[in-house]
Amino acid sequence: WGAWDINTAASFYHDGVNLSELELTEMLPEHRSNEVLNTLWAVKADAQRPLWHGRLHLMTEYSHTGRDDVYHRMNMKPNTSSYLRRQNRWSGSISYRRKADRIEGAMGVLAEVVDTYPDFPIAFPFADVSLLGHRSRLSLSYAMRSSMPTYGQTNGFAYHNIEMLSVEGEPDLHPSLTHHLQLKALVGSFYGVIGWQRVSDYIVQGVESKDRGEYMANYHNLDLANLYTASLNYNHSFRQWSSQYAASIHGQQLTDGNRKFGQPVIHLQWNNQVQLPYGITALLNAAYHTSGHVGATWQRQSGQLDLALVKETRNWTLQLRAEDLLHTAATRTIYYGKDSEYNRRCYADNQRIQVTFRINLGSLSRKNLSQPFSAGRAERDRL
């Protein structure tokens, strides 16, 4: 449309089961509250055009999401309006990007209105600037964003999907407000990131001790969280072999009333790809992380080693994958509740062999879009 490049999209999503009363009574009570109906419909429009040797970008989106707990609606609590079962969200943004010689930058603002949180801020600025060089790039970005609770975190009814642990949402959970500052550097084969996030009303999960040795997990807002990230990646190639080395550290300082806690977690990753005869590709991936805090929980150290062989042609793909060769993917987590410290060692045997065969029928692509264009993606993730 003239100089404008306009794209529109609409989405509709519905899933779930509506069991009869007879079917519900034949089920265990622990499983009844897991029966839900999810609905989403959304529309989105995106427009771009050249302006002043740069590019102007406009976006608007409206979405309606709903979640209906079938059993509790019919049998326990007919009035569930306070449990965040329906939500309407409108968002719109305007931004401008321009490149001049070796400097490229963008700035803009995102507006967001959510009917379930009428008093929450609606304007969120963002900006970034980059210095470009030969095989190098240095970027600094800032963004202010909101993070709405998921429907599972605001579920007002307890549900039991683990024998020893039941989960209950918090209907009055507040959205989180994040200030995100990030520095990225690309120099040759090295890529590094340093990031900081300051999060108000940070959402975490805690566990409280109940009767008969049972435990109830629930979600709540912490006062403040400072999250730190630093990572370094290195890519290496030698003939038919390519490898990627990655190391990162994630630190946090969480504040909850008079309580402060946090210890960093170090992640190490090594991914390899080797081209073998007959068009076969071998993949060898290894990962390890130390113990430390993840949210309000303490995650113990674990590691994993995977191997895969892939044969791909124009019309089909065959993959043979062996996961957790060293039997190392154990999860040991300590949950911190209000009045108790709960230790639970949950060892999951992730060793498996998987065979995948896929027929390639081709795909549709939108070359003028840098990323997939869909409506209501964020809201569907919340369902």
Side-chain angles (χ1 to χ4, degrees):
W1 181 33
W4 288 96
D5 180 11
I6 300 177
N7 300 279
T8 60
S11 298
F12 178 75
Y13 168 72
H14 182 75
D15 76 348
V17 290
N18 192 349
L19 301 181
S20 66
E21 185 67 21
L22 177 61
E23 290 173 313
L24 282 171
T25 56
E26 292 175 350
M27 297 174 60
L28 294 175
E30 289 82 358
H31 298 153
R32 292 179 180 175
S33 61
N34 286 337
E35 304 305 328
V36 296
L37 296 174
N38 295 317
T39 303
L40 159 73
W41 65 269
V43 292
K44 182 177 181 179
D46 180 287
Q48 302 182 48
R49 64 157 297 163
L51 181 65
W52 301 327
H53 304 288
R55 195 159 189 86
L56 179 67
H57 181 201
L58 305 175
M59 185 278 297
T60 183
E61 181 180 40
Y62 172 79
S63 61
H64 169 84
T65 45
R67 185 176 178 92
D68 190 4
D69 190 309
V70 178
Y71 176 79
H72 289 93
R73 175 178 56 79
M74 294 191 301
N75 298 276
M76 296 183 64
K77 297 181 179 180
N79 183 14
T80 59
S81 60
S82 63
Y83 291 97
L84 192 58
R85 288 299 190 268
R86 298 286 183 271
Q87 180 169 292
N88 295 289
R89 173 179 171 269
W90 173 85
S91 63
S93 67
I94 179 171
S95 63
Y96 178 72
R97 176 171 295 275
R98 182 176 176 179
K99 180 181 178 182
D101 196 16
R102 297 177 54 195
I103 299 178
E104 181 180 13
M107 61 184 304
V109 63
L110 170 71
E112 187 175 52
V113 177
V114 182
D115 62 349
T116 49
Y117 302 104
D119 299 327
F120 201 67
I122 63 173
F124 307 98
F126 56 92
D128 67 79
V129 61
S130 299
L131 178 63
L132 310 177
H134 179 65
R135 297 193 62 201
S136 66
R137 184 185 184 104
L138 182 65
S139 301
L140 178 65
S141 64
Y142 165 79
M144 179 181 175
R145 285 291 186 267
S146 65
S147 179
M148 300 296 168
T150 67
Y151 282 95
Q153 293 171 339
T154 55
N155 174 35
F157 312 108
Y159 60 92
H160 303 252
N161 57 356
I162 304 176
E163 291 183 0
M164 295 179 57
L165 189 68
S166 59
V167 180
E168 182 176 6
E170 173 54 60
D172 297 325
L173 206 63
H174 304 300
S176 295
L177 185 62
T178 302
H179 298 269
H180 190 188
L181 187 64
Q182 191 173 64
L183 177 66
K184 299 180 181 179
L186 173 64
V187 180
S189 299
F190 289 91
Y191 176 68
V193 178
I194 299 176
W196 168 69
Q197 296 184 57
R198 182 178 177 88
V199 188
S200 303
D201 289 322
Y202 187 54
I203 299 175
V204 297
Q205 184 188 45
V207 174
E208 301 175 39
S209 177
K210 296 297 181 181
D211 298 333
R212 301 182 302 279
E214 296 181 352
Y215 295 86
M216 171 69 74
N218 58 11
Y219 297 92
H220 59 282
N221 291 104
L222 298 185
D223 295 337
L224 184 66
N226 284 291
L227 310 178
Y228 309 92
T229 301
S231 64
L232 181 63
N233 294 265
Y234 173 70
N235 296 296
H236 169 75
S237 297
F238 178 73
R239 295 183 179 177
Q240 303 300 316
W241 170 46
S242 62
S243 182
Q244 181 188 57
Y245 306 85
S248 63
I249 181 171
H250 303 269
Q252 59 183 10
Q253 183 182 33
L254 308 181
T255 303
D256 187 18
N258 297 324
R259 215 170 39 140
K260 291 185 178 181
F261 54 95
Q263 183 163 332
V265 178
I266 297 175
H267 293 262
L268 303 176
Q269 193 163 345
W270 184 36
N271 298 329
N272 297 272
Q273 178 174 309
V274 181
Q275 296 296 328
L276 301 177
Y278 306 105
I280 299 176
T281 303
L283 305 173
L284 177 65
N285 300 322
Y288 169 80
H289 73 75
T290 63
S291 58
H293 278 97
V294 179
T297 67
W298 179 273
Q299 181 70 49
R300 296 293 179 88
Q301 62 180 339
S302 69
Q304 190 161 349
L305 181 65
D306 302 332
L307 175 65
L309 297 175
V310 182
K311 170 64 176 179
E312 184 173 6
T313 70
R314 182 177 180 180
N315 299 318
W316 55 268
T317 301
L318 177 64
Q319 181 184 84
L320 174 63
R321 183 179 181 87
E323 299 182 356
D324 197 11
L325 297 177
L326 298 182
H327 204 91
T328 58
T331 302
R332 304 175 180 89
T333 305
I334 299 176
Y335 292 91
Y336 290 89
K338 290 183 179 179
D339 302 315
S340 65
E341 180 177 302
Y342 170 42
N343 296 270
R344 180 169 63 90
R345 183 176 185 269
C346 179
Y347 187 89
D349 183 4
N350 289 335
Q351 287 188 324
R352 71 188 70 183
I353 295 178
Q354 178 179 332
V355 178
T356 303
F357 179 73
R358 183 174 65 247
I359 298 177
N360 305 323
L361 299 177
S363 62
L364 298 177
S365 63
R366 298 290 298 276
K367 295 182 179 180
N368 60 325
L369 296 177
S370 59
Q371 58 184 358
F373 185 75
S374 63
R377 176 184 302 177
E379 291 302 292
R380 179 167 177 175
D381 292 341
R382 293 184 65 248
L383 286 174

